[in-house]
DNA sequence: GTAATTGCAAAAATTTTGCCTCATA
DNA sequence: TATGAGGCAAAATTTTTGCAATTAC
């Protein structure tokens, strides 16, 4: 666990948002001005493989990361792409789905989408 | 509705899989050898804005598209990234979630993940 | 001391765009 | 025929990688 890796995790955990790799790069750079974007990518990849953070499925073009390793639901703004956590307990109906397609079911996640407070007020102007 | 756009839709509807833009490009190219990748991208974007097809949130680095404009659930293979449709009716508990975060709720989707038949047998060898 | 990691820069991969020509309605 | 769309190629964006130097344990 290098300094770079530790600080990537710390910065990611500091925010409740779900930043993209280059947002994280900018955040980390305030503390480690010499860190390179490649290192940030390499660490995000490693950390998510190890289950210390998670990659979240993204609607847009860029990946987003979540400092919370525990699966939970998100809501994504359809206007600006921002992703927030959502208090939501996965109901049993989801975990007990019966697959008939040959897949081994490993998990599930509910994705909500909507319009975030900022974008709502933008469209009111 | 040009020939290119029509054939993009036709090819996308032909498959039950959820191809990436360049997979669609290759499929369409068999019928229209001169089509350009840019056109495919432009049409996929337009068609999904118009609700004729949909972009689906993807775990990986590339976007995937779905020829079926009706929202439905998917299961993604954690090994190979392949995405299949899933017969699954959204339960009421999901549509009646009470948000307290200022978002306007527009919809929701359940994402399942697992290991596809091919990848299951790969790991058995 | 050894193996893993970093920084840097180049490359790869994916998506978007400008511009001029051509096709569609 | 006017407008929107296509083809091509360049650019922009996002992610990955090779390599020599450095760091963690």
């Amino acid at each position: 666990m290098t300094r770079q890796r530790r600080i990537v995790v710390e910065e990611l955990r500091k925010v409740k948002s779900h930043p993209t790799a280059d947002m994280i790069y900018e955040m980390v750079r305030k503390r480690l001005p010499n860190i390179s974007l490649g290192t940030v990518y390499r660490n995000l990849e490693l950390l998510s493989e190890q289950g210390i953070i998670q990659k979240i499925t993204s609607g847009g073009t860029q990946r987003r990361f979540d400092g919370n390793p525990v699966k939970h639901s998100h809501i994504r703004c359809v206007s600006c792409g921002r992703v927030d956590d959502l208090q939501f307990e996965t109901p049993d109906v989801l975990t007990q789905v019966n697959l008939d397609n040959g897949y081994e079911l490993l998990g599930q996640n509910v994705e909500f989408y909507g319009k975030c407070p900022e974008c709502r007020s933008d469209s009111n102007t």
Side-chain angles (χ1 to χ4, degrees), chain A:
Chain A
M1 173 72 52
T2 62
R3 204 143 58 93
Q4 287 85 341
R5 189 166 307 162
R6 186 168 44 73
I7 294 189
V8 164
V9 177
E10 283 176 13
E11 290 298 316
L12 184 52
R13 294 248 161 101
K14 232 182 233 174
V15 295
K16 71 277 149 251
S17 66
H18 301 78
T20 60
D22 71 278
M23 290 169 182
I24 296 167
Y25 173 57
E26 291 304 334
M27 285 153 45
V28 171
R29 216 138 74 105
K30 300 223 170 79
R31 293 172 62 189
L32 291 177
N34 292 323
I35 197 173
S36 77
L37 183 55
T39 297
V40 171
Y41 269 104
R42 269 186 289 231
N43 278 323
L44 289 171
E45 186 61 34
L46 240 96
L47 288 162
S48 63
E49 273 170 21
Q50 298 174 353
I52 295 171
I53 64 172
Q54 44 180 335
K55 293 187 211 175
I56 59 185
T57 65
S58 120
T61 252
Q62 285 182 81
R63 275 199 192 137
R64 286 176 179 271
F65 296 87
D66 191 332
N68 178 355
V70 178
K71 285 260 173 266
H72 55 281
S73 293
H74 296 119
I75 182 163
R76 176 191 332 281
C77 177
V78 295
S79 297
C80 68
R82 166 178 155 185
V83 177
D84 281 294
D85 287 333
L86 203 64
Q87 222 46 36
F88 178 75
E89 199 172 331
T90 306
D92 290 343
V93 275
L94 297 189
T95 58
Q96 292 158 6
V97 168
N98 217 344
L99 297 183
D100 55 354
N101 55 8
Y103 268 82
E104 174 189 7
L105 183 59
L106 295 176
Q108 64 286 116
N109 221 18
V110 187
E111 280 278 320
F112 294 87
Y113 46 99
K115 199 176 262 193
C116 77
E118 282 71 16
C119 290
R120 286 177 79 171
S121 56
D122 282 356
S123 33
N124 291 337
T125 43

